[in-house]
Amino acid sequence: MPGPLSLPTLCRFLLLWAFAIFHKALGDTAPHPGPHYLLPPIHEVIHSRRGATATLPCVLGAPPPSYKVRWSKVEPGELRETPILITNGLQARGYGPLGGRARMRRGHRLDASLVIEGVRLEDEGRYRCELINGIEDESVALTLRLEGVVFPYQPSRGRYQFNYYEAKQACEEQDGRLATYAQLYQAWTEGLDWCNAGWLLEGSVRYPVLTARAPCGGPGRPGIRSYGPRDRKRDRYDAFCFTSMTAGHVFFVPGRLTLSEAHAACRRRGATVAKVGHLYAAWKFSGLDQCDGGWLADGSVRFPITSPRPRCGGLPDPGVRSFGFPRAQQAAFGTYCYSE
């Protein structure tokens, strides 16, 4: 067993402790090791939209004699990083699907910033710029955050039908991807109140509650209710999907159409029947307001409301209303078309 501390050792510990307390009392932080070559970013969160060009800053204060810079993406829910690009300051090599859309900014000789062109939904997340010099590696982390909208989704079969992988596929089929916890939290702060639990990208199952009530988890404080991590293959819930601004636009075609007639009506106009994500994006970013139910590509009937009013959904808040999944042969609705 180790023996008791000697008096000189004890004095050194007490001196370090007193030094840290002294700096804290002055409102100053005690000295700590930090990046030696990389400058800390001014903004750690970079905001962008789908289709835009985003720049993730990474700048050297001084270059070491020999070095490489490696950019990687930290995958949520997975203990791994995906390499994007490696450069030695003169040449750069991209890796994976993101590497083909990424390049170095090269604003000056100390600039190692990453430029991502044609930002996609899956690009949102945490990135790492790592300086490798063979002696003391260091890195800075940044977050790319997309402006978008979260929407709950369930299939025509009803609630709680998806395992994790089916929920992920369902969101992608509706021009979205599974939302992250951060995206769901922001949607909750903006008014999302939903009683059905849904999968998130990290593999957890949650639902947002603004007004606590008996059928929705019982009394308590508003917030994001959690079922915690679940079995991705066995457990079944709904999905919370995330989408962002689209390159095209959504428009309404009136009529009393069946689902097949809706597809034909959109084709005649050089368009396709809109997906659920298209309609939510048009509501969020273009202010689409239409008090008429219309067919969507998944067989559901919905309509977007930005200015709530009587006889137009009956709810006091803006949102996308749903008639569910009527019979495809029911000729009672118009359709929402999407054109790029």
Side-chain angles (χ1 to χ4, degrees):
M1 293 180 63
L5 291 175
S6 64
L7 183 59
T9 302
L10 181 60
C11 289
R12 281 197 298 271
F13 278 128
L14 291 174
L15 182 61
L16 289 172
W17 174 79
F19 183 71
I21 294 297
F22 174 73
H23 275 271
K24 187 174 181 181
L26 292 176
D28 192 12
T29 56
H32 63 278
H36 179 62
Y37 294 107
L38 294 178
L39 298 179
I42 298 175
H43 302 290
E44 295 183 356
V45 178
I46 309 301
H47 295 272
S48 187
R49 289 182 175 180
R50 177 164 55 179
T53 297
T55 300
L56 304 179
C58 184
V59 178
L60 282 69
S66 176
Y67 70 95
K68 291 182 179 179
V69 171
R70 178 173 62 192
W71 276 97
S72 58
K73 187 171 188 289
V74 182
E75 302 297 342
E78 304 177 24
L79 299 177
R80 66 184 180 91
E81 295 188 8
T82 301
I84 301 170
L85 187 146
I86 297 178
T87 180
N88 61 2
L90 299 175
Q91 297 178 328
R93 180 179 178 181
Y95 295 87
L98 184 54
R101 295 182 288 113
R103 59 178 174 83
M104 303 302 296
R105 183 172 62 179
R106 299 188 188 280
H108 49 81
R109 67 185 186 90
L110 300 177
D111 188 8
S113 302
L114 184 72
V115 177
I116 301 175
E117 298 177 340
V119 171
R120 301 175 183 174
L121 295 178
E122 59 268 26
D123 295 343
E124 171 156 322
R126 194 161 179 81
Y127 291 77
R128 189 184 310 280
C129 174
E130 184 177 11
L131 177 72
I132 304 170
N133 63 10
I135 301 175
E136 184 180 354
D137 299 344
E138 56 190 72
S139 66
V140 295
L142 302 106
T143 298
L144 178 62
R145 186 162 295 164
L146 270 63
E147 299 177 26
V149 57
V150 172
F151 59 94
Y153 189 77
Q154 59 181 225
S156 59
R157 303 188 305 275
R159 69 196 292 256
Y160 295 173
Q161 298 292 321
F162 296 135
N163 66 23
Y164 173 82
Y165 304 99
E166 292 165 345
K168 188 175 181 181
Q169 180 180 351
C171 289
E172 292 169 358
E173 290 174 351
Q174 298 307 315
D175 192 53
R177 74 190 295 247
L178 275 178
T180 64
Y181 172 79
Q183 290 166 345
L184 183 66
Y185 182 87
Q186 181 171 343
W188 170 72
T189 65
E190 295 172 354
L192 183 60
D193 182 278
W194 198 256
C195 271
N196 292 342
W199 288 104
L200 296 179
L201 185 62
E202 299 87 349
S204 63
V205 174
R206 305 172 189 262
Y207 62 99
V209 175
L210 279 175
T211 305
R213 50 204 185 274
C216 203
R221 299 181 62 183
I224 308 292
R225 306 288 172 87
S226 176
Y227 286 7
R230 312 300 291 179
D231 189 300
R232 297 189 180 196
K233 293 183 178 180
R234 184 188 65 215
D235 293 329
R236 295 188 173 271
Y237 298 94
D238 291 345
F240 285 106
C241 306
F242 174 84
T243 193
S244 184
M245 177 176 283
T246 63
H249 70 283
V250 174
F251 59 93
F252 180 71
V253 176
R256 299 181 64 85
L257 309 173
T258 64
L259 180 57
S260 61
E261 291 170 342
H263 281 281
C266 290
R267 283 195 300 269
R268 287 195 298 269
R269 292 162 173 81
T272 59
V273 175
K275 299 178 179 181
V276 177
H278 292 151
L279 189 63
Y280 270 91
W283 166 74
K284 174 75 172 182
F285 294 105
S286 302
L288 185 61
D289 185 284
Q290 185 76 41
C291 194
D292 297 282
W295 290 105
L296 296 180
D298 66 339
S300 65
V301 172
R302 307 173 193 252
F303 62 99
I305 297 298
T306 57
S307 299
R309 50 201 181 274
R311 298 185 181 181
C312 204
L315 297 175
D317 300 317
V320 175
R321 319 288 194 234
S322 176
F323 285 117
F325 293 84
R327 291 183 301 107
Q329 298 78 22
Q330 185 175 345
F333 306 100
T335 185
Y336 290 95
C337 303
Y338 177 76
S339 176
E340 291 190 347

